[in-house]
Amino acid sequence: MVKGKKEGIKLLSYIRPILGFLPEVESADRVVPLRDKMIWTALTLLIFLVCSQIPLYGISKMVGDDPMFWSRLILASNRGTLMELGIGPVVTAGMIIQLLVGSKILEVDQNNKEDKQLIKGAQKLLAILIALFEAVAYVYSGMYGDLETIGAFKALMIIVQLVAASIIVQLLDEVLDKGYGMVSAISLFIATNVAEELLWKSFSPLSEGGEYEGAFVAFFHYLFSVPNKFTALRKGFYREGPNLNNVIATIFVFLVVNYFQGFQVNVAIHNKKIKGHSESYPIKLFYTSNMPIILQSTLLSNLFFISRLLYKRFGNFFLIRLLGKWKEHSIGGQSYPVGGLVYYISPPDSLLNMIYDPLHALTYILFILVTCAVFSRTWIEISGSSAKEVSRSLKDQDVTAYGGTDKLLYKKLNKYIPIAAVFGGVCIGMLSLMADFLGAIGSGTGILLTCGIIYEFYDSFTKETRSGQSVW
């Protein structure tokens, strides 16, 4: 164990000379007022929205189908803009570092300040390298036009823009994460993308071939234009595309997730310096919040991206086809997997497809549940939220188990926290699957993330107001 730890620290020490060159946001050295936090959160969101509308310089045209079609909503990306890569590189880097730490390839002492700085620096550097790799892959694949057409200079400029935008996303996340905001910027961007998708598919006034895109707009159009009102109702609820059943399913999922947000176990604690003091330390069912589903979605999107890219270039190789076989130009002009590993971990198109191919449905369900549970359990170990870390943190504040000792406090925390992490991760996966099967707008993962993020924002806001803070 000692040898492994030394090797882990040695690996991290190689990046120490680079840390000084990486941009960083200083942590807040004072308590930031609620009003300032709201302003910083709003400014961060505004910068993200503006970047999502600024087109990349040097693009001749968007060629072929979209390799990120399946994950743009969750990765908060917008095709052909500065936010092309979205939060993908940042979350992917976090996932890789998590796996390295969880598998003990990198040994990190969460109580060692230098270790924590090194691991954060490693994650930041890795995110930049991933952004660079993805940018080069996008340009090389001809996604923005033939290389001979756009030229070397414009190709280089596209890569620079994508990497710079990824660094901006990192800095925006740091601003909110280091005490200046209400919620994580990553979560905020995802929630914004999903909310935009939900509003657009519900109220969009655009029409094509006499069919309105928005579910509510289409419903009222049918009521006033179709003579047979029963047919109008049927079309409003069951038409192809966004319909009222999808809207109802979305609302239902929101209510169910909000209901489960309240599930928690309270551990009685007291401050040793205050006589007669007692309070509860809550351990929520969703102990790791949205991280399992974010990491799982990132893993899936990266597998899809790599498989699609490799199949397009080297589709005749057996191992490439084993990873994933794709069919060209189908769903909305997009390619979709029809064989290989990525097919079996991709969501089935409908309940009918699940019946026709039960193996596909079973492997997809197991993949979601297992990955969410594993990521959730591993996350508590590297995020400083394990029973050991929480117990140490409370001990440093002279807080212990009510009517007991520090040892009893650790025993109680260790009894509930690992179970909450694993079982909570499985519940998150099940809720995501339920939303997908019901046809909720914005995908099950997106709805689940948005609901959790809104709840997190509300919880943070109420804590600030209880402490005497005011927006005005």
Side-chain angles (χ1 to χ4, degrees):
M1 179 62 73
V2 175
K3 182 180 178 182
K5 185 172 182 179
K6 287 181 180 177
E7 289 176 353
I9 294 175
K10 185 178 179 181
L11 287 172
L12 286 175
S13 66
Y14 287 122
I15 70 164
R16 187 180 287 108
I18 307 173
L19 292 181
F21 297 96
L22 298 177
E24 184 178 4
V25 176
E26 292 292 332
S27 299
D29 56 358
R30 60 182 175 83
V31 177
V32 180
L34 177 59
R35 181 172 177 272
D36 291 353
K37 285 186 176 182
M38 296 290 286
I39 291 173
W40 277 112
T41 303
L43 285 174
T44 299
L45 180 57
L46 179 62
I47 293 171
F48 166 74
L49 292 174
V50 170
C51 289
S52 296
Q53 299 303 318
I54 298 176
L56 289 167
Y57 167 76
I59 296 177
S60 63
K61 59 179 179 177
M62 301 303 293
V63 179
D65 58 8
D66 183 3
M68 298 296 288
F69 170 77
W70 301 92
S71 54
R72 286 207 180 274
L73 188 67
I74 304 303
L75 295 183
S77 67
N78 193 17
R79 192 178 190 190
T81 69
L82 289 177
M83 285 296 116
E84 176 77 73
L85 302 181
I87 63 172
V90 178
V91 180
T92 302
M95 180 181 66
I96 292 173
I97 293 295
Q98 177 192 14
L99 293 174
L100 291 176
V101 173
S103 59
K104 305 300 181 184
I105 295 175
L106 292 178
E107 288 282 352
V108 180
D109 183 0
Q110 295 294 341
N111 297 312
N112 188 311
K113 188 176 180 180
E114 184 183 7
D115 268 20
K116 292 174 75 172
Q117 288 178 340
L118 286 173
I119 202 70
K120 287 180 180 178
Q123 183 172 329
K124 189 180 295 185
L125 178 62
L126 183 59
I128 295 173
L129 294 176
I130 291 172
L132 178 61
F133 167 77
E134 291 186 354
V136 172
Y138 276 31
V139 173
Y140 174 72
S141 66
M143 184 172 166
Y144 304 119
D146 188 74
L147 280 175
E148 293 182 0
T149 304
I150 62 177
F153 175 74
K154 287 186 176 179
L156 180 62
M157 288 304 298
I158 292 172
I159 293 171
V160 170
Q161 289 173 90
L162 292 176
V163 175
S166 182
I167 294 174
I168 290 173
V169 170
Q170 286 191 56
L171 294 176
L172 291 175
D173 188 44
E174 278 194 52
V175 168
L176 300 193
D177 193 45
K178 291 194 173 180
Y180 298 100
M182 299 293 294
V183 292
S184 160
I186 300 299
S187 299
L188 183 65
F189 299 160
I190 295 172
T192 303
N193 251 26
V194 175
E196 181 184 355
E197 176 86 355
L198 177 58
L199 289 172
W200 185 256
K201 288 191 174 181
S202 298
F203 302 103
S204 171
L206 298 183
S207 65
E208 184 178 349
E211 290 282 339
Y212 286 93
E213 186 175 0
F216 285 106
V217 178
F219 173 69
F220 286 109
H221 170 69
Y222 294 142
L223 283 181
F224 289 109
S225 63
V226 178
N228 188 327
K229 301 308 175 187
F230 178 78
T231 302
L233 288 173
R234 182 174 56 81
K235 291 182 73 175
F237 277 89
Y238 298 104
R239 71 166 188 156
E240 289 292 329
N243 56 54
L244 290 186
N245 270 335
N246 300 140
V247 176
I248 293 170
T250 304
I251 295 171
F252 174 72
V253 172
F254 264 108
L255 294 175
V256 170
V257 174
N258 267 316
Y259 175 74
F260 279 104
Q261 290 280 6
F263 279 48
Q264 64 182 41
V265 174
N266 294 315
V267 175
I269 56 175
H270 80 99
N271 193 313
K272 291 184 282 187
K273 290 186 176 180
I274 304 175
K275 188 175 181 180
H277 171 267
S278 67
E279 61 177 298
S280 298
Y281 182 84
I283 301 173
K284 296 182 178 181
L285 174 61
F286 298 151
Y287 184 71
T288 52
S289 187
N290 298 311
M291 285 311 300
I293 203 72
I294 291 176
L295 294 170
Q296 181 270 328
S297 299
T298 306
L299 173 64
L300 196 60
S301 67
N302 280 289
L303 283 174
F304 271 46
F305 172 71
I306 293 171
S307 173
R308 178 70 188 87
L309 190 66
L310 291 174
Y311 185 78
K312 186 177 180 181
R313 293 285 179 178
F314 313 104
N316 293 325
F317 287 88
F318 171 75
L319 290 178
I320 302 300
R321 297 169 72 88
L322 188 64
L323 176 62
K325 182 180 177 182
W326 294 74
K327 187 173 181 179
E328 302 290 342
H329 308 300
S330 179
I331 305 171
Q334 298 297 324
S335 300
Y336 65 100
V338 293
L341 174 64
V342 295
Y343 167 72
Y344 285 102
I345 59 176
S346 64
D349 293 334
S350 63
L351 290 174
L352 192 61
N353 284 349
M354 294 178 64
I355 296 172
Y356 286 149
D357 193 351
L359 180 61
H360 178 197
L362 180 62
T363 52
Y364 172 68
I365 292 171
L366 287 176
F367 172 77
I368 296 294
L369 298 183
V370 171
T371 51
C372 282
V374 171
F375 280 135
S376 184
R377 182 64 179 86
T378 310
W379 182 255
I380 65 172
E381 297 298 334
I382 70 165
S383 64
S385 54
S386 65
K388 184 178 180 181
E389 298 299 330
V390 172
S391 176
R392 183 181 289 114
S393 176
L394 292 174
K395 183 180 178 181
D396 292 340
Q397 302 171 49
D398 292 312
V399 173
T400 188
Y402 185 76
T405 61
D406 294 336
K407 187 176 181 180
L408 177 62
L409 175 63
Y410 171 73
K411 185 178 179 181
K412 287 185 174 182
L413 292 173
N414 196 46
K415 178 182 178 181
Y416 296 116
I417 287 179
I419 295 175
V422 175
F423 186 63
V426 172
C427 287
I428 287 173
M430 291 176 66
L431 288 170
S432 177
L433 290 168
M434 180 187 73
D436 279 333
F437 295 153
L438 290 176
I441 297 174
S443 82
T445 301
I447 294 298
L448 190 65
L449 288 173
T450 304
C451 190
I453 292 160
I454 292 172
Y455 187 89
E456 182 184 345
F457 184 89
Y458 172 76
D459 189 45
S460 178
F461 183 83
T462 52
K463 284 180 181 178
E464 294 284 349
T465 53
R466 283 175 192 161
S467 65
Q469 296 270 11
S470 173
V471 178
W472 312 110

